[in-house]
Amino acid sequence: MTQARHKLLSGCTCCGPVVTLGRREFVAGGLAALGLGAFAASGIEALAQTPAKPHRIDVHHHISPPTWLDAVKKAKLDNPPLANWSTQKSLDDMDKAGIATAIASPITPQVTFLASDKETAARVARESNEYTKKLMSDHPGRFGLFAMLPLPNIDESLKEIAFSFDTLKADGVGVMTSYGDKWLGYPHFEPVWEELNRRKATVYTHPTGAASTWCREFQSPRPSSASTPPAPSPA
């Protein structure tokens, strides 16, 4: 019985000289390859079962500072995820996901429900940022701070920018994409952007539902051509 010779990779010019194998050599090589594959698969499975060493940075991580949560509850805007948050839950989730550091940021509604009470909004934002700073001190290297601003109140927000960067050494600020009937590009916010730009600050934006009248009007259906009265015929 003659042995047929098979050319492997005969059409490939990037893998060196053409290799020829006999049937027995081919089968033996195939079994060896299967053994190597099984070894590699077992290694992958072992790696999958080994907890990942924290190495990621999570820039979308929300916490519930006590002062802020109390204000949210008082306004009846709380929900179970907000109310049931704890530092340990954050740390457990971070460890499971291989996250070394989470930059904590305020979640909606931030303090917009206190827009008419500037002093309370400023106090809640300040105490929330101070809470996050203490969280950073209690767990070195695990947390960062995107500070909450008492927007849409401009003067109070400028004061909190100064405190957050100069005293708390915040990593940036966390803002929503709109506040009531004002989008971030609205001229009302210009002093805030000028100050943040002067500081070369990082600004993290979080989406929120637009509550503006303009947005509702923009989305409302326009009159169709069928309902438009016909133009008068020329005399």
Side-chain angles (χ1 to χ4, degrees), residues 35-65:
L36 180 60
F39 175 77
S42 65
I44 292 173
E45 183 179 357
L47 286 174
Q49 295 175 352
T50 303
K53 181 180 178 181
H55 61 283
R56 298 183 176 93
I57 297 176
D58 179 7
V59 296
H60 188 170
H61 192 95
H62 298 308
I63 64 174
S64 297

Side-chain angles (χ1 to χ4, degrees), residues 76-116:
K76 301 186 183 305
L77 296 172
D78 59 305
N79 57 51
L82 295 181
N84 297 329
W85 175 86
S86 71
T87 302
Q88 192 56 52
K89 285 184 179 180
S90 272
L91 292 170
D92 290 344
D93 288 342
M94 290 162 62
D95 290 341
K96 289 177 184 177
I99 295 169
T101 303
I103 313 299
S105 59
I107 194 172
T108 54
Q110 293 193 6
V111 291
T112 53
F113 57 96
L114 297 170
S116 61

Side-chain angles (χ1 to χ4, degrees), residues 112 115 151-154 175-190 193 208-215:
T112 53
L151 290 169
N153 299 306
I154 300 302
V175 301
M176 299 193 301
T177 48
S178 64
Y179 290 86
D181 61 351
K182 296 177 177 64
W183 300 91
L184 294 183
Y186 197 81
H188 174 81
F189 298 114
E190 189 62 28
W193 304 137
T208 186
S212 69
T213 303
W214 176 87
C215 185

Side-chain angles (χ1 to χ4, degrees), residues 1 21-22 30 44 46 52 61 89 110 117 119 132 137 145 153 167 178 185-187 192-194 217 230:
M1 181 177 180
L21 294 178
I44 292 173
H61 192 95
K89 285 184 179 180
Q110 293 193 6
D117 187 350
E119 292 184 1
T132 306
S137 300
L145 168 61
N153 299 306
T167 302
S178 64
Y186 197 81
V192 170
W193 304 137
E194 288 179 354
E217 290 178 351

Side-chain angles (χ1 to χ4, degrees), residues 65-77:
T67 300
W68 176 80
L69 184 59
D70 288 344
V72 170
K73 286 181 176 179
K74 187 176 180 180
K76 301 186 183 305
L77 296 172

